[in-house]
Amino acid sequence: MSDVIVAAGLLREFGSGAQRTRAVDGVDLSVAEAELLMVLGRSGAGKTTLLSMVGGLDRPDAGTVTVAGQRVEALQGRDRDRFLQVSVGWVFQTSGLVPLLTAVENVELSLHLAGLTGTAARERAVEALALVGLDGRRAHTAAELSGGEQQRVAVARAIAKRPIAVIADEPTAQLDSETAAGIMELLREVAAAGTAVLMATHDRVAVEYADRVVNMEDGRLAATSTT
Ligand SMILES: Nc1ncnc2c1ncn2[C@@H]1O[C@H](COP(=O)(O)OP(=O)(O)OP(=O)(O)O)[C@@H](O)[C@H]1O
Ligand SMILES: [Mg+2]
């Protein structure tokens, strides 16, 4: 299977002088098509910093990130916007939905940014909500949905544009274990459908859903285990 995400020599430092911390300290990683790679690590290990660079939200001080042939760290201006809007779907710890918009409108909003409009966007949004099991909830406003349902909408929003890669930063951290398992099953299906999925967590239970797990500690990737 070909690698969709390839990161090499990633380095990111914050602060200056004695306060200087190396949040990510020379990381190489790759995620293949249809693979779910999980980065497991304690709070402060550097997971968010790593994912942010891979997903184009932050730039490394050194190193390179390639997503489907695009050099992410070198993207500027509109090219970078386009990468974020079209190529990668993000899921965060909190869903970040617009509370007064309905589930389907929340998904459509991201599709509009990705360049889809009108009926095409509506159909794609409805289809994505069906995939996450929210057929019966699409006309509910985000504020009317449970936390778990909101997170499902966030997954629908990330996959509706059919991105090359989905990046999920602790997507289950605020959910009870049963609801979290549902989100993990969804992410598994997203990977099985061909998308590269990169996820960070400190929840060891989530590991069973991964194709591959890497441990992160003090900005470095440690031992690799295969499940
Ligand atoms: N914007 C920033 N400015 C300064 N320091 C930062 C910044 N972002 C992260 N750090 C530091 O980098 C280190 C790694 O943080 P990061 O958020 O990547 O960890 P994490 O593994 O995602 O932790 P958590 O599980 O709590 O989300 C921490 O020491 C943090 O304080
Ligand atoms: Mg984090």
Side-chain angles (χ1 to χ4, degrees):
M1 210 90 65
S2 63
D3 285 338
V4 173
I5 298 173
V6 180
L10 285 183
L11 195 89
R12 187 77 173 98
E13 291 184 326
F14 295 110
S16 57
Q19 307 295 316
R20 203 163 184 79
T21 34
R22 209 167 252 199
V24 171
D25 190 7
V27 165
D28 302 320
L29 70 77
S30 61
V31 190
E33 199 182 309
E35 181 179 41
L36 198 166
L37 176 70
M38 194 166 295
V39 179
L40 183 68
R42 276 195 300 241
S43 181
K47 304 182 298 297
T48 296
T49 308
L50 173 61
L51 264 51
S52 299
M53 293 188 287
V54 173
L57 294 178
D58 188 23
R59 247 185 263 279
D61 295 313
T64 57
V65 178
T66 308
V67 174
Q70 296 185 87
R71 280 287 291 276
V72 177
E73 86 286 355
L75 292 173
Q76 305 275 359
R78 288 197 180 176
D79 291 336
R80 181 167 170 273
D81 294 346
R82 219 137 169 84
F83 173 76
L84 288 168
Q85 289 157 356
V86 176
S87 303
V88 57
W90 272 95
V91 184
F92 301 98
Q93 192 168 332
T94 53
S95 64
L97 302 178
V98 182
L100 295 181
L101 293 184
T102 63
V104 76
E105 287 165 346
N106 268 285
V107 177
E108 275 178 298
L109 200 57
S110 74
L111 290 169
H112 294 160
L113 290 172
L116 259 85
T117 53
T119 325
R122 173 57 57 114
E123 282 172 3
R124 196 71 89 72
V126 167
E127 180 192 301
L129 286 168
L131 280 173
V132 301
L134 285 181
D135 249 341
R137 294 277 190 283
R138 61 177 184 242
H140 288 233
T141 65
E144 291 167 345
L145 299 173
S146 74
E149 288 168 342
Q150 289 178 31
Q151 203 58 335
R152 281 177 179 269
V153 177
V155 173
R157 181 181 56 189
I159 63 174
K161 58 187 168 185
R162 298 179 188 157
I164 296 160
V166 165
I167 301 186
D169 189 1
E170 302 198 38
T172 60
Q174 305 218 341
L175 306 174
D176 64 68
S177 55
E178 203 174 314
T179 313
I183 293 292
M184 285 316 306
E185 269 154 29
L186 277 176
L187 290 174
R188 264 246 53 85
E189 284 166 24
V190 170
T195 312
V197 181
L198 174 62
M199 172 178 160
T201 187
H202 44 62
D203 179 8
R204 294 197 161 269
V205 176
V207 160
E208 66 178 280
Y209 296 93
D211 293 308
R212 197 152 57 87
V213 181
V214 289
N215 293 297
M216 190 163 198
E217 213 171 299
D218 294 334
R220 293 167 181 264
L221 295 189
T224 306
S225 60
T226 311
T227 53

